[in-house]
Amino acid sequence: MPTTLLQSDLPGLTLRHRGKVRDVFDLPRERLPADAPSGAALTGDFLLMVATDRLSAFDVVLPDPIPGKGEMLCQISNFWFEKTAHLLPNHLTGIDVASVLPAGVDPALYAKRSVVTKRLKPVPVEAIARGYLIGSGWKDYQRTGAVSGIALPDGLRQAEKLPEPIFTPSTKAAVGDHDENIDFDTMVKAVGPELAERVRDATLRIYSFAADYAAQRGILLADTKFEFGTDADGRLYVMDEMLTPDSSRYWPADEYEVGTSPPSYDKQFVRDYLETLDWGKTAPGPALPAEVIERTRAKYAEALQKLAGIVVE
């Protein structure tokens, strides 16, 4: 059965960052097992990333966890990291999580929701690929006829497939703040033209591969966001989470209809419920009914099964 973890507790490890969902700990090389891989691919420092069961909506972390959500997210990410390794290297090391946990910590609680990764220098933008006109992209298009400075044909409708996928970066916001869409020129000013082009190319290449794969399983990948980092040699890696329902908009192909907002394999039930409340979308967030929690958990489980073939009890 899935485990439930709202917040990780790993005595002896230094907490580097606690995000909306992930807790990230420093993992010095001396804490690695003696038989850990070595060589150029594993030089430098490492991190232990833990996907908790915390849930955020409208950029607010809610008080109720979704049981097993972190395990499902981690398994989906790991599936895609392996599936796309031929397109771009990723931050995974393959080191067994149980071998680096502090003494006394139950390995079963962390085994499926944690990974040991390379410590990279993050590229300070969210790298977003859009194949369909939805969400903030749809709002931008209605207002300006463009998305992140990219002009689109007139007359497109909500959820319509774009002529070709587009790259629309955004800022990386702190917890509780909102990301802001930026154009490519603004990204170039932030990270430089060479890195900006590498990130854009990698984003669109991985998105197209994943969208084709998902479509074969009856799922449309409307959009997704990636995070990238570089090592000491400037090599680019995809990192953090990858192509999960938290970072992507997945639609059942048989329920897709242009002109509407299709149902998605994510926290749609949560957002729909919150929209019925008199809540200002600021912290603290409201509690969730048991039915909303269970229906949301079931959607994550369905995505994991359809994409990766992994069945959750």
Side-chain angles (χ1 to χ4, degrees), residues 57-308:
F58 305 111
D59 292 315
V60 174
V61 177
L62 303 178
D64 298 298
I66 304 296
K69 171 176 172 281
E71 292 187 347
M72 292 184 277
L73 289 179
C74 190
Q75 289 177 90
I76 290 177
S77 280
N78 290 347
F79 166 79
W80 282 117
F81 281 131
E82 180 180 357
K83 203 77 178 172
T84 62
H86 66 290
L87 299 175
L88 193 77
N90 59 67
H91 67 170
L92 297 185
T93 63
I95 295 172
D96 181 42
V97 168
S99 69
V100 303
L101 293 175
V105 172
D106 182 6
L109 187 57
Y110 290 89
K112 292 182 180 180
R113 65 172 72 249
S114 309
V115 287
V116 177
T117 75
K118 291 176 65 70
R119 182 178 167 187
L120 302 168
K121 180 183 179 181
V123 177
V125 295
E126 300 277 6
I128 300 170
R130 300 179 188 271
Y132 294 77
L133 194 56
I134 197 69
S136 64
W138 168 240
K139 292 178 182 177
D140 287 351
Y141 174 76
Q142 287 179 295
R143 189 175 63 253
T144 68
V147 179
S148 292
I150 301 172
L152 297 175
D154 294 336
L156 295 179
R157 293 178 291 167
Q158 184 182 26
E160 188 159 352
K161 187 173 183 178
L162 298 172
E164 61 182 10
I166 59 175
F167 175 69
T168 62
S170 76
T171 60
K172 274 188 182 180
V175 175
D177 293 333
H178 298 275
D179 296 340
E180 293 184 7
N181 293 338
I182 58 175
D183 60 24
F184 186 70
D185 288 343
T186 302
M187 179 178 172
V188 167
K189 292 175 183 176
V191 305
E194 191 268 343
L195 182 56
E197 289 178 6
R198 280 199 289 157
V199 168
R200 178 177 61 185
D201 292 348
T203 297
L204 293 174
R205 187 166 62 249
I206 297 171
Y207 169 80
S208 296
F209 174 87
D212 288 345
Y213 181 91
Q216 296 171 26
R217 282 145 187 83
I219 295 177
L220 303 181
L221 176 57
D223 53 42
T224 191
K225 66 179 178 180
F226 300 110
E227 297 206 30
F228 294 94
T230 55
D231 63 14
D233 297 322
R235 190 181 190 192
L236 187 67
Y237 296 77
V238 61
M239 64 178 208
D240 196 51
E241 65 179 321
M242 186 179 192
L243 292 161
T244 71
D246 270 15
S247 64
S248 314
R249 206 182 313 256
Y250 286 112
W251 295 331
D254 58 0
E255 297 184 57
Y256 169 67
E257 184 178 350
V258 177
T260 66
S261 181
S264 54
Y265 287 99
D266 64 356
K267 44 200 172 186
Q268 189 66 49
F269 291 123
V270 174
R271 285 193 291 261
D272 290 347
Y273 169 73
L274 293 176
E275 290 284 16
T276 69
L277 303 181
D278 182 16
W279 173 54
K281 298 179 182 176
T282 57
L288 298 176
E291 180 188 5
V292 171
I293 291 174
E294 177 52 34
R295 292 177 73 188
T296 301
R297 191 203 69 81
K299 272 297 178 185
Y300 281 102
E302 184 180 348
L304 177 61
Q305 181 175 355
K306 287 195 171 185
L307 291 170

Side-chain angles (χ1 to χ4, degrees), residues 25-27 29 32 42 44-47 93 116-119:
F25 295 85
D26 286 331
L27 198 62
R29 173 168 278 280
L32 300 186
L42 285 178
D45 294 326
F46 303 88
L47 301 172
T93 63
V116 177
T117 75
K118 291 176 65 70
R119 182 178 167 187

